[in-house]
Amino acid sequence: MALGKVVHFGIDLVLVSTALAGIRRSTGWRFNSESLSDSKSVQDYVDKYLFIGEKAINYAAWQMKAFPKYFTKD
């Protein structure tokens, strides 16, 4: 697999995780990792994956606060 495809796939995974984090923050609905598997390790990996989206949203919000000239809060 080419490096470009791996990078593209990784970015897609982060975008999906970020979208799920945004849905959780705006509506309160969250992805139930316990529905995927009874294995605790699988649930932990899913939770870690979803945490990446939380970190991405926090980083984006931090960047928006750093540049108030370009971003305003309603």
Side-chain angles (χ1 to χ4, degrees):
M1 188 180 282
L3 180 62
K5 287 185 179 185
V6 171
V7 170
H8 186 268
F9 186 67
I11 291 171
D12 287 346
L13 286 173
V14 171
L15 287 174
V16 169
S17 178
T18 304
L20 289 172
I23 290 169
R24 187 192 65 77
R25 285 189 181 192
S26 64
T27 66
W29 289 93
R30 69 173 188 88
F31 184 78
N32 185 8
S33 62
E34 295 171 358
S35 66
L36 288 179
S37 175
D38 291 334
S39 171
K40 184 68 174 154
S41 63
V42 171
Q43 293 171 10
D44 288 343
Y45 282 118
V46 170
D47 289 338
K48 287 177 185 178
Y49 165 70
L50 294 174
F51 186 69
I52 292 170
E54 292 288 335
K55 295 299 274 186
I57 284 186
N58 289 340
Y59 181 76
W62 176 74
Q63 286 294 319
M64 289 178 182
K65 287 179 189 176
F67 296 99
K69 179 179 176 183
Y70 301 108
F71 300 100
T72 58
K73 187 174 181 180
D74 291 334

